Amino acid sequence: MFAPTLRDDPAEADAPSHRLLLRAGYIRQLTAGHYSLLPLAVRVRAKVIAIVREEMEAIGAQEMLLPALHPAEPWKRSGRWDLMGQEMFRLQDRRGADHALGMTHEEIFVTVARELNSYRQLPQQWYQFQTKFRDEPRPKGGLMRTREFTMKDAYSFDADLPGLDASFNAYQGAYTRIFERLGIAALPCEASSGAMGGSDSTEFMCPSDVGEDFVVHCPGCGYAANIERATSVLPATSDAPGLPSPERFDTPGVRTIDDLVAYDAPGERQIKTLVHILDGTLTLVLLRGDHPLNEQKLRDATGATDVRPADPSEIQDALGALPGSLGAVGVSLPVIADEALRGRRDMFTGANTDDVHLRGVDVDRDIDVGLWADLREVTAGQRCVRCGERLEIRRAIEVGHIFKLGDRYARALGAEVLAPDGRRVPVIMGSYGIGIERAMAAIVETHHDDRGIVWPLSVAPFQVAVVPAQSDDPAVAEAAETIYQALRSEGIETVIDDRAERAGVKFRDVELTGIPFRVTIGRRGLAEGTAEVTTRTTAETTKLPLDSVLTHLQTLLTA
C-alpha cells in the first residue's frame, strides 16, 4: 500500500485537516489549490460519495454525469458569462470558440431539461458527482478551499412554487441525514444565494476555528444565519427635532467616526458615508456611524456584480473631499442607505469639504435616498430578531448549500412545459450542492486529536488494522495473517501492517491515519493465546482469546 506518512508537520500546512491529511499520507499538493488524492483518501472519498448517493436516491433523485467543459453560449444566455468574473477558468478551442471549465452546472442541466414538455413529467430530481473548477484568488487550508474539487450538485425541476417548496424540504431533510452520517455537526443557516441567484437560501455550516465563514447564532431559539444574511434587533432611538437645516461646523483633523465623537457626536448619531463603485457607477453607501458594512448584503440589495470601494482620487474628483469629511447632503449621486438610518433626525455627517462636518441632518428631509436596504453587519451581543436573546458569532466551514432558483435559468434557456391550462410555462428550479473533498476536510477538523485523525466509522478508509508486533516472527506473522483473512472473509474492511518496522512505528501510523480499531498480535499474547483490540476514539484496549477477536469486532462494528 502506498501510504507515505510523515513524522513531522509539513511547514506549508495551517489548518489541522491540511496538516493531518498530508502527514497521514492521504493527499499531496501538485500546485496551489490542486491536490492528488492518494489511496487512503480515495477510499474515504468513495464512502462519502456512497452516503450522499444513498440519501439522494432515497428522495427519488436520479444520477447523471454532465460535461465539465462548457461552451460559452448557455452561460451567455443566462447572463453569468460576465457575472462570474475572474473565478471562471476560460479558454478557446482550436476554432476560436469560447469555453469554460464548469464552476457549477445550472445552465448545463437546463439544456437537458429542455426535453421536458409536460407538467405530467414533473417533478424531476437530477444530480451528479462532477469536478468543478474555480480560480480562487487565495486557495488555502488543503482541501478546504481549492481550485479543482468534486461537487455533488443536484437540481430539482417542478411545475410550480408549491412543488419547489416540497423539493427544497426533501433536500433539506436529506442533507441533515447526510451530515449526521458523515459525523459533521452541520447547522442549517439562512444565507445569501450570491451569484447563483434565487431565494430561500440555506447553508449547512460546521462550527470550526479554521472556518472562513461566520455564523450568527442564537442560543435561545436556535436562529442561525450566515453573517452575510444575518440581522438583529436594534434598540429604539429617540432623536431631538434638530435644526431647520443642516449647519456646517469646522472639524480640523477629524478623519474617523471616533474622532467626531469629541464633537458631541456619538457613533449612533453619525451618518457614515462610504463610496463604492457598483458596476461602474460611483455610489454613496450610508450606514450609522457605529455599524459596519457587509459587502455581500450590498451586492444582494443592488444586484451589482462588480463591487469595490472607490479610490481616494475617484472620491476627490466626485465629491471634492477625502474620506473623513464625506456626506450625502445635496449630492446628485446614487445613494443607498441602511434601514437603521430611516427616519433619523439631528444627525452628523461630512460636508464634502475637508475638515468640515454638518450637524442637525434630517435623513428624510436632507438626503435623497434611492434605495433602502439591510446593509449592516451583525455583531456579537446584539439581540435576536426572534426571541431577543443575545447573539453569538462563530467561525464555521460551509459544507452544503441549498437554494431556490425559481424560473431564472429556465426562462433564459427556454426550458418550458405545458401547464394544466394549456399554457407553456418555465420550469421552477432548485439547486443543492455538497463539496465532497471539503466534507472530508471538515470531518478531520472536528475528528482529530494530538495523535492524528479519528475517522467516524462510516467514512474510515478501513474499519480495522491488524498489527503483528514482530513481523519477523513466523508464528506472530501467521497468527496475524489468519485473523486478517478471517475478518476480510466476513466483509470487515481490514488492512494488515506487516512491514518490517518497530511496533511503535506501526501503532503511530494506525493512530495517525485514523483507523477505528487496531488488533495487535505479539509474542507474549500469542503465548497466552490472546490478542489486543484497541479502539481509536477512546484508546481503550481489551485483551481477548484469539478465537473471540472476530465476534468482538463484529459487536463493536454493529454498535
Side-chain angles (χ1 to χ4, degrees):
M1 174 174 289
F2 184 64
T5 59
L6 305 174
R7 182 175 295 274
D8 300 315
D9 288 339
E12 72 273 20
D14 44 12
S17 63
H18 189 190
R19 171 173 54 84
L20 289 170
L21 289 170
L22 283 169
R23 274 197 62 202
Y26 282 81
I27 62 173
R28 288 295 182 264
Q29 181 172 311
L30 174 64
T31 186
H34 298 266
Y35 285 85
S36 300
L37 302 187
L38 306 188
L40 290 174
V42 168
R43 293 181 68 91
V44 174
R45 177 181 178 273
K47 291 191 172 185
V48 173
I49 287 176
I51 288 172
V52 175
R53 179 177 283 125
E54 286 174 12
E55 295 297 343
M56 289 296 95
E57 293 182 355
I59 61 171
Q62 305 162 79
E63 186 170 356
M64 298 184 175
L65 184 61
L66 278 61
L69 180 65
H70 303 168
E73 186 268 340
W75 286 84
K76 290 180 178 179
R77 288 184 63 179
S78 73
R80 293 205 299 175
W81 182 258
D82 297 319
L83 179 64
M84 286 306 186
Q86 295 182 341
E87 285 193 357
M88 178 181 278
F89 284 102
R90 304 164 198 264
L91 67 155
Q92 289 186 335
D93 64 17
R94 67 182 64 199
R95 293 182 296 276
D98 289 326
H99 289 73
L101 296 177
M103 298 176 61
T104 181
H105 275 69
E106 280 82 359
E107 286 85 351
I108 314 307
F109 268 91
V110 173
T111 64
V112 178
R114 287 194 297 224
E115 294 198 34
L116 298 169
N117 52 52
S118 170
Y119 73 94
R120 290 189 173 90
Q121 296 173 281
L122 301 178
Q124 292 283 341
Q125 316 287 347
W126 300 342
Y127 76 101
Q128 67 172 350
F129 297 95
Q130 178 58 289
T131 304
K132 310 291 186 185
F133 301 88
R134 296 182 185 177
D135 193 359
E136 294 282 356
R138 292 176 299 278
K140 61 179 295 188
L143 300 183
M144 205 79 70
R145 182 175 291 276
T146 58
R147 305 202 303 171
E148 177 181 353
F149 58 95
T150 309
M151 174 75 74
K152 186 287 300 176
D153 50 328
Y155 304 87
S156 60
F157 301 87
D158 286 281
D160 51 29
L161 291 175
L164 172 59
D165 291 341
S167 293
F168 186 87
N169 292 338
Y171 279 94
Q172 187 150 17
Y175 273 41
T176 299
R177 294 188 295 274
I178 286 168
F179 294 123
E180 286 176 352
R181 293 178 64 184
L182 295 179
I184 297 176
L187 186 67
C189 300
E190 296 178 13
S192 164
S193 298
M196 304 304 176
S199 62
D200 288 356
S201 175
T202 298
E203 288 175 342
F204 289 80
M205 306 294 280
C206 174
S208 170
D209 291 340
V210 302
E212 291 186 317
D213 287 288
F214 289 91
V215 169
V216 177
H217 179 253
C218 175
C221 67
Y223 168 76
N226 189 305
I227 202 162
E228 296 175 345
R229 180 70 179 232
T231 188
S232 64
V233 173
L234 289 177
T237 56
S238 179
D239 296 331
L243 303 172
S245 61
E247 177 182 278
R248 294 166 65 94
F249 65 105
D250 294 332
T251 52
V254 169
R255 295 291 180 268
T256 67
I257 298 297
D258 290 339
D259 291 343
L260 194 59
V261 171
Y263 290 81
D264 195 28
E268 62 268 21
R269 290 189 57 212
Q270 296 184 43
I271 301 171
K272 176 163 56 181
T273 304
L274 306 176
V275 186
H276 278 62
I277 308 296
L278 307 182
D279 289 340
T281 301
L282 191 139
T283 304
L284 304 188
V285 181
L286 310 184
L287 295 102
R288 214 172 77 175
D290 57 342
H291 289 164
L293 170 70
N294 185 288
E295 190 170 289
Q296 185 60 49
K297 287 188 174 183
L298 179 61
R299 292 176 182 271
D300 291 344
T302 61
T305 58
D306 185 13
V307 176
R308 65 173 176 85
D311 297 330
S313 60
E314 293 172 314
I315 295 171
Q316 179 84 52
D317 291 344
L319 295 173
L322 292 172
S325 299
L326 305 178
V329 175
V331 301
S332 57
L333 296 169
V335 176
I336 301 168
D338 182 66
E339 289 286 356
L341 291 175
R342 192 187 287 269
R344 295 299 304 276
R345 298 176 299 178
D346 199 24
M347 301 289 283
F348 293 79
T349 192
N352 292 324
T353 302
D354 289 337
D355 299 326
V356 178
H357 281 73
L358 300 175
R359 60 165 62 95
V361 175
D362 183 314
V363 174
D364 291 345
R365 179 192 68 194
D366 301 322
I367 299 176
D368 184 13
V369 177
L371 175 66
W372 291 95
D374 173 22
L375 303 175
R376 65 183 173 88
E377 186 165 288
V378 170
T379 57
Q382 293 177 346
R383 298 290 183 174
C384 175
V385 291
R386 294 182 181 173
C387 72
E389 287 290 321
R390 292 193 179 276
L391 295 169
E392 301 172 347
I393 297 182
R394 308 175 181 175
R395 282 186 173 272
I397 302 165
E398 179 192 335
V399 290
H401 195 178
I402 62 176
F403 44 95
K404 298 177 180 178
L405 294 174
D407 62 7
R408 167 185 173 180
Y409 295 93
R411 285 186 180 278
L413 286 101
E416 297 180 337
V417 295
L418 199 65
D421 61 5
R423 295 181 300 117
R424 294 200 64 80
V425 297
V427 295
I428 309 297
M429 292 178 60
S431 179
Y432 317 90
I434 292 177
I436 301 302
E437 291 83 12
R438 177 178 281 202
M440 292 167 57
I443 295 169
V444 178
E445 288 295 338
T446 53
H447 294 80
H448 70 271
D449 58 22
D450 57 358
R451 292 170 292 153
I453 301 169
V454 186
W455 290 113
L457 186 61
S458 61
V459 295
F462 293 94
Q463 297 169 317
V464 179
V466 175
V467 179
Q470 300 87 20
S471 296
D472 58 348
D473 185 313
V476 170
E478 182 181 357
E481 181 70 20
T482 299
I483 288 179
Y484 168 66
Q485 295 293 352
L487 294 173
R488 285 175 56 86
S489 67
E490 291 297 316
I492 297 174
E493 296 173 317
T494 310
V495 62
I496 186 168
D497 189 348
D498 54 4
R499 296 175 297 167
E501 292 280 3
R502 300 189 313 275
V505 172
K506 298 180 181 184
F507 295 162
R508 283 196 297 270
D509 278 354
V510 172
E511 291 175 337
L512 178 61
T513 54
I515 297 173
F517 300 103
R518 184 184 81 223
V519 178
T520 305
I521 311 295
R523 288 194 188 103
R524 183 179 302 174
L526 192 57
E528 301 172 353
T530 63
E532 294 179 348
V533 176
T534 303
T535 300
R536 178 66 179 88
T537 54
T538 63
E540 294 179 356
T541 297
T542 303
K543 184 180 288 189
L544 299 162
L546 289 171
D547 58 5
S548 299
V549 170
L550 172 59
T551 303
H552 181 70
L553 282 169
Q554 287 174 324
T555 301
L556 291 175
L557 293 171
T558 302

